[in-house]
Amino acid sequence: MRITQEAKQQNRKRILQVAASLFSEQGYGKTTTRDISTACKMAKGTLFNYFPSKETLAMTMVAEAMEEGRERYLERRAGEESLVEELFLLVASELRALRPYRLYIGPVLESGMSVFAKEACCPAGEQARRAHLETVAAILAAHHYELVPESIAVTLYWSLYLGILAHWSKDTSSHQQATLSLLDYSMKVFAVTISGSLPEV
Amino acid sequence: MHPVLDTSLTKISCRRIPSSSLIRSWCLGSTNARLAATYISYAIQKNFLAKDQQELAASRAKLKAAIQLFGTMGYLRGAVMKVGQLLANLPQVMDRELIEIFESLQFEAPPMHYSLIREVFLDELGREPEELFASFDRQAFAAASLGQVHRARLADGTRVAVKIQYPDMARTIESDFKTLGLLLKTIRFKESYRYLFAHILDAKEVFSRELDYLSEAAYMERNRRLFAGTEIVVPRSFPDYSSKRVLTMEYLPGKHLPAFLGADPGQEQRNHFGRLISLALVRSFFRCKTVYADLHPGNFIFMADGRLGFLDFGCFRRFSPQRWQVQADSEEAMFSQDQDKLRDFLARLSFHDSPEELDPQWVELMFRQIQWVVSPITTRGPFDFADGAYVAEGVELFKESLVLGYSRTDSFYNWLNRAILGHRSMMYRLGSVFDYSRLYLEEMRGASSSEGSPEL
């Protein structure tokens, strides 16, 4: 039976929603693709037509939230922010969009966006990384800096970024305030490094 | 602003507020922090104080030390900055140029940028500042030890001041006190250790409570009722725009102490504001049975129409009924100069079973201190708080108590001392001369006659 593009989109959306609630309820590690397909009332093979693995599925979820966060950042930016402030705004907007996935984002990023991997193990992770870095590059360009792909600056930024996410995923402070401090500090460190001087804050 | 301070501020503003004890201990290991640690020990109690530390001799060296300390405090913020504010109130131990530097600490601490503030608002109130307010100044106009203050306007046009707490302050304070605890361990075999430790725990409790702006708003409202109909204005708070970490209150236009003094006010104005500041302290003491422990210049606004703005109600300590009774008995003994009763009071204050157990040297010093504290009350008619002999005596007594390093007292004694020294130093700087005795005794009687009436 052929299914329409619209129905495909609906199925995909449904799988993501069901998986998100299963990850929250029983934990990312304990949730299997069988659990997800059963809860979606579909065959496991059908699920694989949409997502080849649990990791890809979860990474897609995270990547979509990151994209939503970046959209929110674009709406929120006033255009008068300093470099540090703007980078802060970008990451903070992403973190806010990622909140529903916070408790299990660690293992998802480990498999989908590791700093050790030359390329992320799934296209969704790699795409999310590229999209995020493109936004960072645009911010830097607006402040007269250039972010050269594969440069040390990119590695530094990406390490800081993943470090922030790692800290955030386990942050027990109210509203993850400690992560806000870390984020602020990290963006200042990055700005100092690329400018070779004190940033305007 | 002083160019050295300006550079220092820029550097500080690029640093994260360190909140892990490890980082903070490391900071405390730096040159700056050794100075900071010395000052902390001044404030907590006297045992850390090396004798030669009192010889912060040459003015130049002091200034340098203060700038280094300022840098460290700006970085550590939290409880350490509280200590900085406390020290600014002690002309007895610091000369004027140091006080001026500490004042910049009170008003010009490194700010949070607006993107960070937006996140705090979303977390605390679910909306961005510009969604909540008709207008909101992105730049802070004042900084406090635990937060910074922005001007804003409500939809109905009311001008407000919005205090926003720095992120992760609870852990910052926690780790400050952990560091102090570590420093204290070096004297853990001394008899005074457990008393010092108790003081630290007590201070931690008070400073931690200061993190809850809703509790501050409640106490502020209580004081608003208390000072209704006087020339003391306590700002109204706006609960719909406030949370545990955001406090929105009425904006009070006016000057802080340095700007007020900079305009070279006449003696009558100096006396007038001295009287009002004293009324603020004494009335809240007698009517609320609390010690207002944050009596520093940053918390008062000298308004153009002669009213005094009384701000910031986060840091206070409330007496238990039993402790209040001890206090009331002691006041009676002080005024009547009843030495036996005073000895009884000192025994209770220092956890001794009887006055015979007291250290005679300490008792002798305390008698002289009590005399100094009550002399503005026992002197009938105008009292000159800027009188050189009175100030010099206070300095001498303070130095003596530092050398003696006696810490076996209950924690209330610390807060009372802090409030009294804060008051005397502000009166000294204002150069106020007025009938303090009358004000104090009237408030004391007024409070007794209102006993049993509904709580404010």
Side-chain angles (χ1 to χ4, degrees):
Chain A
M1 187 179 76
R2 282 209 173 159
I3 88 168
T4 63
Q5 199 58 33
E6 194 184 343
K8 267 188 183 171
Q9 280 305 317
Q10 276 176 357
N11 278 347
R12 185 179 179 280
K13 197 174 163 189
R14 187 148 167 273
I15 293 167
L16 290 171
Q17 277 171 349
V18 167
S21 61
L22 285 174
F23 292 158
S24 298
E25 283 161 22
Q26 54 194 47
Y28 176 72
K30 287 185 181 161
T31 304
T32 62
T33 43
R34 181 179 298 279
D35 295 335
I36 299 167
S37 60
T38 307
C40 289
K41 296 189 175 73
M42 64 172 60
K44 204 173 161 188
T46 313
L47 177 75
F48 286 140
N49 287 337
Y50 289 90
F51 300 101
S53 65
K54 183 177 85 172
E55 288 72 24
T56 307
L57 193 160
M59 193 59 239
T60 304
M61 212 180 273
V62 167
E64 287 186 1
M66 285 170 67
E67 194 181 338
E68 189 192 316
R70 283 194 299 278
E71 281 164 12
R72 187 77 189 101
Y73 146 76
L74 289 171
E75 289 161 17
R76 295 174 80 195
R77 68 189 282 267
E80 57 192 45
E81 293 85 359
S82 68
L83 173 60
V84 169
E85 229 185 309
E86 199 164 349
L87 289 170
F88 181 97
L89 185 66
L90 166 67
V91 180
S93 301
E94 281 192 357
L95 290 180
R96 201 162 283 284
L98 283 167
R99 273 194 180 178
Y101 318 109
R102 188 174 75 87
L103 295 178
Y104 54 86
I105 200 168
V108 175
L109 292 184
E110 217 164 31
S111 57
M113 272 187 173
S114 168
V115 74
F116 291 105
K118 220 29 181 165
E119 283 202 347
C121 70
C122 68
E126 181 54 22
Q127 208 179 337
R129 191 180 88 98
R130 280 180 197 279
H132 181 89
L133 289 175
E134 273 167 23
T135 312
V136 172
I139 292 172
L140 291 180
H143 291 270
H144 315 293
Y145 292 102
E146 193 186 354
L147 192 66
V148 180
E150 309 303 325
S151 65
I152 288 173
V154 173
T155 307
L156 173 67
Y157 177 84
W158 194 245
S159 304
L160 289 170
Y161 178 74
L162 289 185
I164 291 161
L165 287 172
H167 187 271
W168 175 71
S169 70
K170 292 188 174 152
D171 187 351
T172 52
S173 62
S174 158
H175 296 299
Q176 291 81 53
Q177 292 171 45
T179 302
L180 287 186
S181 288
L182 178 68
L183 169 57
D184 193 33
Y185 183 58
S186 303
M187 293 304 118
K188 282 170 183 163
V189 165
F190 179 66
V192 167
T193 309
I194 61 164
S195 65
S197 63
L198 297 169
E200 82 279 24
V201 179
Chain B
M1 182 193 270
H2 194 291
V4 182
L5 285 183
D6 201 17
T7 314
S8 181
L9 262 183
T10 314
K11 285 183 181 166
I12 295 159
S13 69
C14 297
R15 296 178 183 171
R16 176 176 72 102
I17 306 160
S19 61
S20 95
S21 195
L22 181 70
I23 297 172
R24 300 168 79 79
S25 299
W26 178 76
C27 290
L28 283 171
S30 71
T31 315
N32 295 352
R34 276 199 293 279
L35 281 159
T38 308
Y39 282 106
I40 289 163
S41 55
Y42 260 115
I44 296 295
Q45 271 292 342
K46 292 89 190 178
N47 281 35
F48 275 38
L49 197 69
K51 278 179 190 164
D52 59 354
Q53 197 60 46
Q54 289 167 47
E55 297 152 14
L56 287 169
S59 171
R60 203 179 149 76
K62 280 186 189 176
L63 182 63
K64 196 177 161 202
I67 291 169
Q68 286 179 315
L69 175 65
F70 173 78
T72 308
M73 284 184 166
Y75 186 31
L76 294 174
R77 290 181 177 151
V80 179
M81 200 181 271
K82 278 266 142 220
V83 174
Q85 290 178 345
L86 163 65
L87 290 170
N89 272 323
L90 305 175
Q92 297 91 332
V93 282
M94 288 197 183
D95 56 29
R96 190 156 290 279
E97 59 186 335
L98 283 179
I99 290 171
E100 278 162 15
I101 287 172
F102 274 106
E103 264 169 5
S104 59
L105 181 72
Q106 286 173 21
F107 304 119
E108 297 173 54
M112 287 184 276
H113 54 69
Y114 187 59
S115 294
L116 180 48
I117 285 166
R118 294 169 80 175
E119 293 305 313
V120 175
F121 263 79
L122 283 172
D123 286 336
E124 293 295 312
L125 296 161
R127 289 160 80 185
E128 303 237 15
E130 279 156 5
E131 292 172 333
L132 271 172
F133 299 101
S135 67
F136 185 92
D137 278 6
R138 291 176 174 220
Q139 300 294 328
F141 78 95
S145 54
L146 306 178
Q148 65 188 42
V149 194
H150 290 246
R151 288 190 187 93
R153 220 176 256 280
L154 301 181
D156 65 4
T158 309
R159 291 174 78 193
V160 290
V162 187
K163 186 160 83 163
I164 305 151
Q165 199 174 102
Y166 298 128
D168 211 20
M169 272 289 110
R171 281 209 312 198
T172 301
I173 285 187
E174 182 75 30
S175 98
D176 270 335
F177 280 93
K178 219 179 251 177
T179 305
L180 284 177
L182 287 173
L183 287 169
L184 266 185
K185 281 201 169 165
T186 56
I187 55 149
R188 65 187 176 283
F189 301 116
K190 289 178 84 172
E191 194 219 332
S192 54
Y193 175 70
R194 70 186 172 111
Y195 300 108
L196 284 173
F197 200 72
H199 293 320
I200 285 189
L201 287 181
D202 186 73
K204 183 183 164 191
E205 193 192 317
V206 170
F207 290 148
S208 298
R209 205 184 312 129
E210 199 176 346
L211 294 170
D212 183 358
Y213 286 176
L214 291 176
S215 146
E216 179 177 346
Y219 189 51
M220 192 157 85
E221 279 306 312
R222 193 167 174 214
N223 276 274
R224 247 171 74 74
R225 294 197 293 276
L226 186 63
F227 292 105
T230 72
E231 286 180 287
I232 294 172
V233 192
V234 175
R236 182 157 69 102
S237 66
F238 295 89
D240 292 347
Y241 301 84
S242 302
S243 74
K244 265 186 114 165
R245 292 176 55 221
V246 176
L247 177 57
T248 301
M249 62 195 121
E250 183 184 358
Y251 174 78
L252 300 180
K255 291 174 180 168
H256 283 296
L257 181 65
F260 172 74
L261 292 176
D264 197 19
Q267 189 60 44
E268 192 42 51
Q269 265 189 301
R270 290 170 181 266
N271 298 345
H272 170 75
F273 280 112
R275 203 179 289 119
L276 289 181
I277 290 169
S278 303
L279 178 63
L281 179 72
V282 175
R283 184 168 288 186
S284 71
F285 177 71
F286 281 117
R287 302 282 181 100
C288 302
K289 298 184 175 55
T290 55
V291 182
Y292 181 74
D294 211 9
L295 200 85
H296 69 81
N299 289 344
F300 292 98
I301 299 280
F302 298 75
M303 297 169 78
D305 60 5
R307 292 182 302 159
L308 177 79
F310 187 15
L311 315 168
D312 207 325
F313 292 85
C315 193
F316 63 92
R317 182 76 153 83
R318 187 159 199 193
F319 286 93
S320 66
Q322 297 82 353
R323 183 60 180 84
W324 179 254
Q325 193 50 55
V326 173
Q327 192 60 33
D329 294 347
S330 75
E331 300 237 345
E332 204 184 304
M334 284 178 212
F335 298 145
S336 61
Q337 303 282 312
D338 184 328
Q339 301 229 338
D340 288 336
K341 278 189 179 166
L342 277 177
R343 278 176 207 279
D344 280 339
F345 163 66
L346 292 178
R348 285 154 86 182
L349 183 74
S350 57
F351 312 107
H352 286 96
D353 294 329
S354 78
E356 284 70 42
E357 295 171 15
L358 293 171
D359 173 353
Q361 199 189 352
W362 181 68
V363 171
E364 191 272 330
L365 176 62
M366 286 300 286
F367 274 12
R368 283 190 289 132
Q369 275 189 349
I370 289 169
Q371 191 58 43
W372 185 79
V373 167
V374 299
S375 65
I377 306 166
T378 51
T379 304
R380 299 293 177 222
F383 187 85
D384 182 359
F385 283 96
D387 172 64
Y390 180 72
V391 175
E393 194 190 348
V395 171
E396 227 20 72
L397 286 167
F398 191 76
K399 276 187 194 164
E400 279 186 56
S401 64
L402 287 176
V403 173
L404 191 60
Y406 197 83
S407 59
R408 187 170 169 169
T409 56
D410 81 349
S411 298
F412 256 98
Y413 174 73
N414 288 346
W415 297 111
L416 276 169
N417 253 354
R418 181 176 167 163
I420 290 166
L421 289 172
H423 172 259
R424 298 297 191 271
S425 89
M426 279 193 74
M427 294 302 104
Y428 164 72
R429 294 183 65 196
L430 269 169
S432 295
V433 184
F434 65 95
D435 193 343
Y436 181 76
S437 171
R438 189 170 159 191
L439 181 151
Y440 191 92
L441 295 173
E442 275 179 9
E443 286 302 314
M444 191 164 85
R445 289 184 202 114
S448 322
S449 61
S450 66
E451 290 281 340
S453 59
E455 265 233 326
L456 280 158

